[in-house]
Amino acid sequence: MSIYEMKWSSAEKKIARVAFDKAYQREMEVIINAIYEKTAKLKNDKDVWALHNYLSDRRQEIDQKYDYCYSQLIIVFSRLLSENYLLEVDLKGLSEDKLQAIKKLFSSE
């Protein structure tokens, strides 16, 4: 069975949603901390536009990365695991085939 065709039980859907939200919050904390650092160093108009560009780039990246479609979650979770926004413990309760698929993609990146 393809990772795009995997079926998600209602229990797995709940686990996936919580894990997804945790990863999103972790990444948002990183962005918020970066904003604090960058705003503390603002000195001129170039710095303002650099901050704007940083936020625009991050927004685009976040919008592309955090796709909560069940057909995409294996890939999304693998990426978030590789970027350390998701922890293996966050995925506890998913079926073994899903965990193996996530880890396999994670290890091949």
Side-chain angles (χ1 to χ4, degrees):
M1 174 183 296
S2 160
I3 61 171
Y4 304 106
E5 299 169 341
M6 290 183 166
K7 301 296 180 208
W8 295 77
S9 70
S10 59
E12 287 180 315
K13 288 178 180 180
K14 289 176 186 174
I15 292 165
R17 184 80 239 184
V18 170
F20 184 90
D21 291 344
K22 281 183 182 180
Y24 179 81
Q25 287 304 328
R26 288 177 183 132
E27 187 156 6
M28 290 309 298
E29 286 176 23
V30 170
I31 292 170
I32 290 167
N33 289 333
I35 292 168
Y36 282 129
E37 290 176 19
K38 291 175 183 301
T39 55
K41 297 176 183 176
L42 289 176
K43 294 188 176 159
N44 57 46
D45 59 331
K46 289 181 184 178
D47 296 337
V48 171
W49 296 121
L51 176 61
H52 168 75
N53 291 340
Y54 168 79
L55 288 171
S56 294
D57 291 346
R58 292 309 308 253
R59 175 63 185 261
Q60 183 177 15
E61 181 184 338
I62 294 292
D63 288 348
Q64 290 173 354
K65 183 188 310 185
Y66 287 89
D67 181 2
Y68 195 80
C69 294
Y70 295 110
S71 63
Q72 298 297 313
L73 278 181
I74 299 296
I75 296 167
V76 171
F77 285 165
S78 181
R79 179 177 179 183
L80 294 172
L81 206 60
S82 72
E83 293 176 355
N84 296 314
Y85 294 120
L86 190 63
L87 308 173
E88 284 189 42
V89 69
D90 296 330
L91 301 173
K92 185 177 181 192
L94 295 183
S95 66
E96 193 59 34
D97 60 334
K98 288 180 186 73
L99 292 172
Q100 290 303 316
I102 292 165
K103 290 175 185 177
K104 184 178 179 183
L105 283 174
F106 171 64
S107 65
S108 66
E109 292 180 347

